[in-house]
Amino acid sequence: MSSLFFSFIGMCIVALVFICVPLFRFSQFGHKRNASAQWFEQRLAELTDELEQGRFTQQQYEFAVTELKLTTKFELTKENKVQPTIINEFGFSSKILISVLFVVFISGFYLFYGNYTKLSNWQDSIDELPDLTQKIIQNQNQAPTVQELQSFALGLRTKLAVKDEAIGWMLLGRTLLALNDINSAIDAFKKSYDRDPKSVTNIVNYAQALYLKGEDFELGKAVNILREALYLQPDNMMALIIFGESNLLLKRFDNAKEAFELALSQLNADDERTVALRQRIEFINQSTGTQTPDTQTNDIQNGLTITVQLDDRVTASGTQFRYLFLFAKSASSPVPVAVKKLPISNFPLTVNLSDSDIMLPDVKLSDQSSVNITARLSIDEAAGLTAGEWQGELLDIKPSANEPITIVINKETK
């Protein structure tokens, strides 16, 4: 704040210069005019004395007086290039009073209409940022006020100008979203996504803001980036729901239905979101003229017989892993066609992946022309990819071939 006051004092000094310099010039003009008048009176008296003493004739006297008047008029004309005003009649105390009144007027105008209040609020936001962070992020029992959210956003912007971090932009985006500033929230989430594009949280937040914008271009962008999130974390509920809602608004009913059914299969029966998801699916069925199958097709015995082997590098550190995930994905969808989760046992391990492992009742493994197979060692039950986990891939596998295949887990996730 000190720089603000120094700047204000500097502006006042400049303003006073603009006032005092003309005042000084007007004062000089008055002095010169008075000096010219005194000189004229003195010279006229001298000419009169010389006439009385007989040094001039009457004709010479009149000629001298005429010359004196012309000379005096010429001097006054030069000085009159700057027109005098009523301020010339002011004394020194009046000029000081004008200067003081001017400073008071400028100060009052700045306080009421300038940026002082905004700058003061900015400084307060910086000071209150730690307390606001704790209240907004950690205190879930008490909702922050609009003013607190605005102060928090202002403080975050200032902090991000010094230290540019993905998590900071993500927090700013959520705050702006709470303030219903959708466009600014999209900008903040995009910065967070650009700085950490592998974070599923960043992807979902960015996609949610794009979805709330509701325009076709933003919806298409949300769908595209959510494919990345579902590849990294196929069971992410928020990603599935936003993916389905965005496709529904774009009238891509097949993709929307696939996402809603997958999300529905992962929710508990008493979850309140199941009602909304079933309504969405029913709406899609009515719009497309299809019916929801009453029962799932019987499992087929013929599927993919997969033998999973471990690279030597995995064997050395394999004790930390608890589960084996097998995914079969088509190239046209980020959602897995079939998934199987098994506890870690002795390798090599032979697993059958068939229609009994499909994610959606109307998307069968046996109906796919080709799929990509992924085998992943996971440290927990989450299907999402985590740094330090290992996986292997096989591309363009035909499920109808019914031939045994072998996949080697040999790639570590960084």
Side-chain angles (χ1 to χ4, degrees):
M1 295 297 288
S2 59
S3 59
L4 168 65
F5 288 111
F6 284 131
S7 301
F8 177 71
I9 292 172
M11 288 188 293
C12 288
I13 292 174
V14 173
L16 288 175
V17 169
F18 278 100
I19 291 178
C20 294
V21 169
L23 287 174
F24 178 72
R25 290 180 177 176
F26 282 133
S27 178
Q28 283 186 324
F29 172 79
H31 288 312
K32 289 182 180 180
R33 187 181 64 175
N34 292 335
S36 298
Q38 291 175 2
W39 175 79
F40 174 80
E41 295 294 339
Q42 181 181 356
R43 184 58 184 151
L44 182 61
E46 291 176 354
L47 291 175
T48 303
D49 290 341
E50 290 177 356
L51 176 63
E52 291 175 354
Q53 294 174 9
R55 295 180 182 178
F56 291 142
T57 63
Q58 184 65 33
Q59 184 178 3
Q60 290 174 332
Y61 170 76
E62 292 176 355
F63 180 78
V65 170
T66 300
E67 288 291 331
L68 176 62
K69 290 180 179 180
L70 290 174
T71 302
T72 304
K73 182 179 180 180
F74 175 75
E75 293 294 331
L76 289 175
T77 300
K78 287 197 304 181
E79 294 168 1
N80 266 335
K81 288 181 179 180
V82 178
Q83 296 295 328
T85 64
I86 192 171
I87 202 168
N88 294 324
E89 306 299 329
F90 291 172
F92 178 76
S93 59
S94 299
K95 298 169 186 176
I96 294 298
L97 178 61
I98 291 174
S99 301
V100 171
L101 291 176
F102 176 79
V103 172
V104 172
F105 172 76
I106 292 297
S107 301
F109 185 85
Y110 180 75
L111 288 174
F112 283 99
Y113 299 101
N115 290 325
Y116 175 80
T117 302
K118 293 181 180 180
L119 290 172
S120 179
N121 292 339
W122 169 73
Q123 185 64 51
D124 292 341
S125 299
I126 298 301
D127 297 336
E128 297 172 359
L129 184 60
D131 294 336
L132 288 173
T133 302
Q134 183 175 5
K135 180 176 182 179
I136 293 173
I137 297 178
Q138 299 179 6
N139 187 7
Q140 302 296 331
N141 297 326
Q142 183 179 2
T145 64
V146 173
Q147 184 177 359
E148 288 174 336
L149 289 172
Q150 291 173 341
S151 297
F152 185 62
L154 184 59
L156 275 177
R157 289 185 186 277
T158 304
K159 186 175 180 179
L160 287 167
V162 178
K163 190 175 182 181
D164 193 318
E165 291 183 317
I167 188 172
W169 287 111
M170 183 267 291
L171 290 175
L172 178 60
R174 288 183 175 178
T175 305
L176 294 171
L177 207 59
L179 292 169
N180 202 30
D181 189 352
I182 303 298
N183 291 328
S184 298
I186 289 174
D187 292 338
F189 283 134
K190 184 179 185 305
K191 289 183 173 65
S192 178
Y193 170 72
D194 290 341
R195 284 151 182 77
D196 189 5
K198 295 300 182 181
S199 169
V200 175
T201 301
N202 289 342
I203 297 173
V204 172
N205 283 327
Y206 185 26
Q208 182 182 19
L210 292 169
Y211 164 74
L212 291 174
K213 184 71 178 293
E215 298 180 3
D216 287 353
F217 177 77
E218 279 74 17
L219 290 172
K221 188 183 294 185
V223 168
N224 290 333
I225 63 173
L226 282 171
R227 293 181 187 276
E228 304 173 21
L230 292 171
Y231 175 78
L232 295 170
Q233 200 173 94
D235 58 347
N236 187 288
M237 185 60 60
M238 184 62 70
L240 283 170
I241 292 176
I242 299 175
F243 184 81
E245 295 287 353
S246 299
N247 277 294
L248 183 60
L249 290 176
L250 292 169
K251 297 184 178 180
R252 301 172 182 174
F253 295 125
D254 291 341
N255 291 338
K257 182 179 179 181
E258 182 181 357
F260 289 144
E261 289 180 339
L262 181 56
L264 187 62
S265 67
Q266 297 183 22
L267 291 176
N268 296 326
D270 57 350
D271 194 304
E272 59 183 11
R273 291 173 292 181
T274 59
V275 176
L277 289 173
R278 288 195 180 98
Q279 290 174 347
R280 296 290 194 279
I281 295 171
E282 181 62 27
F283 172 79
I284 294 172
N285 289 335
Q286 293 175 358
S287 299
T288 58
T290 59
Q291 297 296 325
T292 305
D294 296 329
T295 58
Q296 186 172 343
T297 306
N298 293 330
D299 299 343
I300 63 171
Q301 298 301 320
N302 295 328
L304 289 171
T305 302
I306 306 170
T307 299
V308 182
Q309 296 181 353
L310 300 182
D311 186 272
D312 293 340
R313 293 172 297 167
V314 185
T315 306
S317 59
T319 55
Q320 61 177 316
F321 302 113
R322 298 175 56 196
Y323 293 95
L324 169 67
F325 282 91
L326 278 175
F327 302 94
K329 293 183 180 181
S330 67
S332 60
S333 174
V335 180
V337 177
V339 176
K340 178 164 284 188
K341 179 179 71 173
L342 300 169
I344 291 294
S345 59
N346 296 326
F347 289 91
L349 177 66
T350 300
V351 181
N352 181 264
L353 196 65
S354 67
D355 282 350
S356 61
D357 304 305
I358 59 175
M359 301 293 292
L360 301 173
D362 55 349
V363 181
K364 299 178 181 178
L365 178 62
S366 58
D367 291 338
Q368 307 301 312
S369 60
S370 66
V371 291
N372 300 329
I373 305 298
T374 301
R376 180 183 304 160
L377 293 177
S378 178
I379 59 177
D380 53 32
E381 295 188 16
L385 189 60
T386 304
E389 296 182 343
W390 288 74
Q391 67 177 17
E393 292 180 310
L394 291 176
L395 305 179
D396 295 328
I397 302 299
K398 298 185 183 333
S400 59
N402 294 327
E403 296 179 357
I405 59 175
T406 300
I407 185 169
V408 179
I409 298 178
N410 57 5
K411 186 184 301 182
E412 182 180 11
T413 304
K414 301 297 183 181

